[in-house]
Amino acid sequence: MMPYTGPPLRILLISSHEECRDTLQQALAEAMTGQFQLFWVSLPEVAEKRARELLPRIIFIDDALIGYSASRIVRRLRQQVPKAAYIIVVNPSNTREAQRAILEGARAFLLKPVDSQELVETLEQILASADVDEEPGTERTPHKRKGKAIVFAAPKGGTGHTTLAINTAICMYRQTKEPVALVDADFFSPAVDLALNLHAQYTIQDVLPRVSHLDHDIVSTILASHTSGIHALLAPPPRLSHYSIPVPQIQEIVAGLKEFFAWEFIDLQSFLDETAIAFLDSADSIILTVLPELTNLRNVRLMLDVFAQRGYSKGKIRLVLNRWDMRGAIPAKEIEKYLHMEIAFRIPDDQPLATYSNNRGIPLVVSHPKSALGKAFRDFVLYLKEQCARIQENPDETMAQKPSFLTFWRE
């Protein structure tokens, strides 16, 4: 028997014949010592939808499908679930169809009736090669990882919080080599896909049906891989009607990703509806981006009022002053006095470079690492790591007395 110690192995069988399912079920039970889940689809026309929902690790395809060839099914499914391993189950007289399926991307074929020993050898080869091809940044099992979820927020667009979130994520991965996830939680005007030049097939919508049973395969399939090494969970395309996610599912997404990623950075929309509040409630820290402009400061102050009403501790919030040295900027000391909070970090002004970087879809820490902005982002990551390490050593620090924003503002 083949020892298997990973999470339950999701297996999908596409066959028009119930006896094929029973035979494979018995062979798998004889071949494996670990857990597996066998799902069966008898109608080839619904196979694509089912495979997309399940994201199985292994897909068995019977060659005796009614109205469909196995090679055609492989070709179509690989467009939907490219990371699955496809195995064709064929009659000894139909090896030609197996060869055609292999040309379409199948990994192996088994002759009917399926022999448990042959099944063991095939699965061992496939699972071993999957380990070799593992994507960087995610792990096969959670291993009880407890990452940190950090929300980047701002009271309106144009404050630079998306640019800060993206470049922070990349710098964090480069400095720590720990897995980093970037979540686009701006459902009004998503921008992470454009800023990273990503054209992913999946979005956060695809996580929702699977959020209660996230595992490595689901995470590595749905989150888009960026060349910098980070992984991105993208927002749905912008639409006229607002898209929202139930609060419990947001909590599950944030908590679930923390099991796979050491750092989870969330780029939040500016409108604080129930969805946005759920992300903020679930976060370990909030990075609030401030511009040295009077209108922006008033909006930041109102946002801090909301945070106070939610009961967020003072240690949970960090003010980052963006473009602090721009012409005509309100001095930092005046900003701190107005907001009744210290500024945690300052980002210099280089709006042309930031705009150029976003328009190209190449983060500036990649394209211009030696620029003043690039250095500031790297220094911000050092600051962030120091703060998180200090809080980890003294966990009561973030649960200190609640900020007296309301008291100050009512004066």
Side-chain angles (χ1 to χ4, degrees), residues 167-182:
N167 287 277
T168 299
I170 294 175
C171 287
M172 184 64 76
Y173 177 74
R174 287 182 169 182
Q175 291 186 23
T176 65
K177 297 303 179 185
E178 295 177 324
V180 175
L182 177 63

Side-chain angles (χ1 to χ4, degrees), residues 203-216:
T203 70
I204 198 170
Q205 288 177 305
D206 299 292
V207 176
L208 301 183
R210 313 170 179 91
V211 68
S212 61
H213 54 275
L214 288 179
D215 60 20
H216 164 77

Side-chain angles (χ1 to χ4, degrees), residues 7 25 41 46 77 116 184 214 243 249 307:
Q25 177 85 30
V41 173
V46 301
L77 286 186
S116 59
D184 192 343
L214 288 179
Y243 176 75
Q249 289 189 310
F307 292 172

Side-chain angles (χ1 to χ4, degrees), residues 131-376:
D131 288 339
V132 173
D133 296 336
E134 198 84 74
E135 285 194 44
T138 56
E139 304 199 17
R140 178 162 302 284
T141 57
H143 296 301
K144 302 299 181 182
R145 181 190 296 280
K146 189 63 175 177
K148 302 170 186 63
I150 300 175
V151 167
F152 289 76
K156 71 180 188 69
T159 59
H161 72 288
T162 298
T163 299
L164 179 60
I166 290 171
N167 287 277
T168 299
I170 294 175
C171 287
M172 184 64 76
Y173 177 74
R174 287 182 169 182
Q175 291 186 23
T176 65
K177 297 303 179 185
E178 295 177 324
V180 175
L182 177 63
V183 180
D184 192 343
D186 187 345
F187 304 131
F188 285 95
S189 54
V192 170
D193 58 332
L194 297 176
L196 292 177
N197 195 24
L198 290 174
H199 306 280
Q201 184 178 1
Y202 299 101
T203 70
I204 198 170
Q205 288 177 305
D206 299 292
V207 176
L208 301 183
R210 313 170 179 91
V211 68
S212 61
H213 54 275
L214 288 179
D215 60 20
H216 164 77
D217 296 321
I218 293 175
V219 169
S220 63
T221 298
I222 293 180
L223 271 69
S225 300
H226 188 255
T227 54
S228 64
I230 68 172
H231 291 72
L233 180 57
L234 301 180
R239 60 184 71 183
L240 294 179
S241 59
H242 175 47
Y243 176 75
S244 62
I245 302 175
V247 170
Q249 289 189 310
I250 291 174
Q251 296 169 342
E252 285 189 280
I253 289 173
V254 174
L257 291 180
K258 286 167 67 173
E259 299 291 339
F260 292 89
F261 295 91
W263 301 90
E264 179 183 353
F265 297 117
I266 301 168
D267 180 35
L268 192 68
Q269 64 193 33
S270 56
F271 179 62
L272 294 186
D273 58 4
E274 187 180 61
T275 300
I277 290 294
F279 277 109
L280 291 166
D281 288 348
S282 303
D284 297 298
S285 299
I286 300 171
I287 306 299
L288 184 55
T289 307
V290 182
L291 287 179
E293 302 171 344
L294 188 58
T295 303
N296 181 261
L297 293 182
R298 181 179 64 179
N299 293 331
V300 169
R301 189 161 161 172
L302 293 173
M303 182 170 275
L304 288 173
D305 194 2
V306 174
F307 292 172
Q309 293 171 8
R310 298 296 299 178
Y312 298 160
S313 66
K314 193 170 186 179
K316 182 173 180 173
I317 304 164
R318 298 286 187 273
L319 292 183
V320 173
L321 180 58
N322 190 28
R323 305 180 62 192
W324 68 270
D325 55 346
M326 72 181 196
R327 187 174 181 180
I330 298 175
K333 289 295 183 182
E334 293 296 320
I335 293 174
E336 291 177 333
K337 182 178 178 181
Y338 181 77
L339 298 178
H340 301 289
M341 279 193 73
E342 291 184 1
I343 293 170
F345 200 86
R346 304 182 189 186
I347 304 292
D349 180 32
D350 194 342
Q351 191 61 29
L353 177 58
T355 302
Y356 176 72
S357 170
N358 289 332
N359 288 340
R360 292 179 65 202
I362 304 177
L364 62 88
V365 293
V366 176
S367 61
H368 295 78
K370 296 182 179 180
S371 64
L373 277 179
K375 182 180 184 303

